[in-house]
């Protein structure tokens, strides 16, 4: 079905005495905030991050899902996964630790039970894909290829909350190339690759994913962290370590987006502590053509829509289209190569 959103119009009668002259105000500027990634058109650059928005329907009674640029559903594997035992979430200073462990219904049930609802929406649907081996990733994609209504895949090679797979691929350039190339060959839809920040040089992994055929990059996933209950002298989460997200990681995630934008030619989707339009615009000016809102969905589900409105207002005030802001950071000449 068509994904474009039709907006109704309403006529308003204004008397000649109250109507301002065209010369006095000039033409109204209507900014374009749509963006395109690997041939997929997004009405605006704001998506919800995988693992923070369920399968989308869970938030349908809270916000207008059609006003989002895209929904990235929680990680889907070939077979259902129960995830890690509780406790799995712990609130930290300016952030959150989570070790859910990729709990999901599996690819077949996703097609049968979750995708039909997503297909009724005008917003784009991106399916995050996870596996423990290259064969797992390919198998999940082959099953998902049978679903109409999917616009792209987001290959999760960076999850720090599982004991094998995931981050193992995201830390090794050769394994990154292997799993991205195999997944790209199998994929019916464009392939975005989600990178881990838990590496020495993220540009090395970014180039590896690009050379293997990635259509775009999502960065970054969570940082490995932990918390301890000093009274019990026990970890706060059952997995011992967990993924740190939220405002605390934004400065580091922003730096990584800036570095990768200068290292690759494919589009970048920025993630990490985004809770306001200003946060999102920082990522866009650093080089991202879209962003994802994650942790903020837990405490303020309307955050994504406020970010969309804020980006539109900023562009209107600056009389600039979104495309003019992407990668527009002004860097002094002597620092251009840093």
């Amino acid at each position: 079905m068509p994904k474009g959103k039709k907006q109704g119009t309403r006529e308003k009668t204004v008397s000649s005495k109250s109507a301002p002259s065209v010369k006095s105000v000039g033409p109204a500027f209507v900014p374009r905030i749509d963006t395109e990634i690997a041939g997929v058109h997004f009405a605006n650059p704001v998506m919800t991050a995988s693992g923070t928005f369920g399968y989308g329907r869970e938030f349908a009674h809270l916000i207008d899902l059609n006003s989002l640029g895209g929904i990235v559903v929680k990680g889907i594997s070939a077979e259902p996964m129960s995830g890690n035992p509780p406790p799995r979430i712990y609130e930290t200073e300016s952030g959150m630790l989570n070790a859910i462990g990729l709990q999901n219904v599996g690819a077949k049930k996703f097609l049968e039970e979750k995708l039909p609802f997503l297909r009724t929406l005008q917003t784009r649907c991106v399916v995050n894909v996870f596996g423990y081996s290259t064969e797992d990733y390919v198998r999940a994609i082959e099953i998902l290829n049978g679903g109409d209504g999917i616009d792209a895949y987001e290959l999760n090679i960076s999850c720090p909350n599982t004991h094998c797979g995931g981050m193992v691929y995201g830390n090794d350039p050769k394994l990154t190339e292997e799993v991205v190339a195999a997944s790209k060959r199998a994929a019916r839809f464009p392939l975005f690759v989600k990178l881990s920040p838990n590496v020495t040089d993220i540009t090395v992994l970014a180039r590896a994913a690009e050379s293997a055929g990635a259509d775009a990059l999502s960065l970054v996933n969570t940082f490995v962290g932990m918390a301890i209950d000093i009274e019990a002298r026990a970890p706060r989460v059952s997995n011992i370590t967990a993924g740190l997200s939220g405002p605390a990681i934004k400065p580091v995630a922003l730096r990584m987006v800036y570095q990768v934008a200068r290292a690759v030619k494919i589009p970048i989707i920025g993630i990490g502590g985004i809770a306001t339009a200003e946060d999102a615009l920082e990522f866009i000016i650093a080089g991202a053509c879209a962003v994802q809102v994650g942790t903020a969905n837990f405490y303020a589900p309307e955050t994504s829509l406020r970010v969309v409105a804020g980006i539109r207002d900023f562009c209107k005030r600056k009389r600039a289209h979104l495309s003019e802001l992407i990668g527009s950071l002004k860097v002094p000449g002597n620092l251009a190569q840093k």
Side-chain angles (χ1 to χ4, degrees), residues 21-143:
S21 67
V22 174
K23 290 183 179 179
S24 64
V25 296
F29 179 75
V30 180
R32 289 194 58 173
I33 64 167
D34 58 319
T35 191
E36 186 172 300
I37 305 173
V40 181
H41 180 262
F42 294 82
N44 65 68
V46 183
M47 309 179 206
T48 54
S50 175
T52 69
F53 211 70
Y55 300 101
R57 191 166 198 163
E58 295 89 334
F59 284 75
H61 66 294
L62 298 172
I63 67 170
D64 176 13
L65 299 181
N66 285 319
S67 294
L68 297 168
I71 295 172
V72 186
V73 304
K74 66 188 307 180
I76 302 295
S77 50
E79 300 296 332
M81 291 176 58
S82 58
N84 294 322
R88 307 193 295 188
I89 294 178
Y90 181 73
E91 186 176 352
T92 67
E93 295 290 336
S94 299
M96 180 182 78
L97 287 168
N98 94 84
I100 303 300
L102 279 301
Q103 177 182 341
N104 74 97
V105 299
K108 291 180 181 177
K109 281 195 174 182
F110 173 77
L111 296 184
E112 296 169 0
E113 301 176 3
K114 310 299 181 182
L115 189 58
F117 170 76
L118 291 165
R119 199 159 44 231
T120 68
L121 302 176
Q122 294 168 337
T123 189
R124 296 301 189 183
C125 171
V126 180
V127 178
N128 185 283
V129 180
F130 176 80
Y132 287 109
S133 66
T134 298
E135 291 72 24
D136 284 345
Y137 281 99
V138 170
R139 184 161 170 256
I141 288 173
E142 288 176 342
I143 295 170

Side-chain angles (χ1 to χ4, degrees), residues 270-326:
I271 318 167
I274 296 172
T276 67
E278 182 177 333
D279 293 334
L281 286 162
E282 286 189 68
F283 279 87
I284 289 166
I285 291 169
C289 63
V291 297
Q292 292 179 15
V293 174
T295 300
N297 292 318
F298 289 103
Y299 61 84
E302 76 286 353
T303 296
S304 296
L305 301 191
R306 287 192 286 102
V307 172
V308 173
I311 291 173
R312 184 177 287 108
D313 289 344
F314 179 86
C315 288
K316 188 173 183 178
R317 177 164 59 86
K318 294 293 186 179
R319 298 184 71 84
H321 299 297
L322 181 77
S323 60
E324 299 172 59
L325 300 179
I326 298 171

